[in-house]
Structures are given as C-alpha cells and as structure tokens.
Amino acid sequence: MTRIARWLSASALALLAMIVLLPQPASAAGSTPCGPQCVAINRDAVCWEKEWCAVQLVVKGTPAGSGAVLRYRTADGTAVAPGDFVAVPSAEISLPAGGSTYLRVFVAGDAARERDEAFAVEFLDGDGRVLATSTVTVRDPAAY
C-alpha cells in the first residue's frame, strides 16, 4: 500500500509540475499584466452592425508607472475587415488605476442578412506577442 501511495504522490507531483510549467494559450487567462501588482481583465463584447462597439477592460490594482498603456489590434474571424468592421492595425489605450476603461471599434454594416459573426481584439506586449484576446460578436439587426 505504501508503494502505491508513493507512486500516486510522484505522479500527482509530475502532473502538477506539467500544468504549472507549460505555457498557457494567450486567451486562456483573459487578463493582461500591467505591473507587479496590477492586472487588466479583458471582457468579450456583443455589438450590432453600424455602431461603435465598446470592449471593456477592468483594471485591478495600480498600473506600473504613470501613464501606463496597453497595446491592442483587431484580427479577422468570421467577421472580416473592412466589410464587417474597421480594422485597427495598432493602437494604445491608457489604463486607469483600479477602474475600468473601454476601447472602441466601429462595426460596419452591409446589405446581406447574416448570422452572428465574430472578430478578435488582441492585447499585445512590447514585442507584439498576444497576451490576451477579447471576442467581439457582431449581430445583424435584420436577423433578429
């Protein structure tokens, strides 16, 4: 019985080490570090065609340094720029201490009656690597 308990303990420890040490997908966390005691939590959004769409960022803690900013860009999904939304190749948003802020993306409209489509807002580090992703679902008012 002792051998089984040791084997299970070793297996559990190995599994835990794999989970902790393996890198997580960019969108798994849903948050972006903005300092040693700060995290910006990104939210998904649902928007209608022909409107400005607001993607919320909730900042927990105090961003590192004054004037902390977070870089972002849009990426095509089933919704494709420029027909479905106005692409943002690169932009920055200021992060408030312990509050929330919104970035805005214009969702275009077209004559086609469509089901829901989606595109992504990717949050980037200084080297352009994706840290987190928000999904923006675009709804066609004619379909509802």
Side-chain angles (χ1 to χ4, degrees):
M1 187 69 176
T2 316
R3 286 180 130 171
I4 293 173
R6 276 193 222 145
W7 180 82
L8 285 175
S9 296
S11 297
L13 186 58
L15 179 62
L16 180 61
M18 281 180 30
I19 292 170
V20 171
L21 297 176
L22 287 176
Q24 298 297 311
S27 61
S31 62
T32 305
C34 51
Q37 300 294 319
C38 178
V39 66
I41 303 165
N42 54 297
R43 306 281 191 213
D44 291 343
V46 177
C47 304
W48 297 100
E49 284 186 342
K50 300 180 184 175
E51 291 185 0
W52 283 97
C53 182
V55 178
Q56 184 182 26
L57 286 168
V58 178
V59 179
K60 303 282 186 181
T62 304
S66 62
V69 295
L70 182 61
R71 294 178 49 215
Y72 69 94
R73 67 180 176 212
T74 56
D76 289 348
T78 53
V80 179
D84 295 312
F85 66 96
V86 177
V88 178
S90 180
E92 292 181 343
I93 187 166
S94 297
L95 297 175
S100 65
T101 188
Y102 296 86
L103 61 91
R104 295 172 15 133
V105 178
F106 188 74
V107 177
D110 49 28
R113 187 174 181 174
E114 304 169 307
R115 294 180 184 249
D116 291 355
E117 298 177 297
F119 66 93
V121 176
E122 299 175 337
F123 299 95
L124 313 169
D125 67 5
D127 296 324
R129 290 184 299 251
V130 177
L131 297 172
T133 303
S134 286
T135 301
V136 178
T137 302
V138 178
R139 294 209 164 144
D140 185 348
Y144 287 88

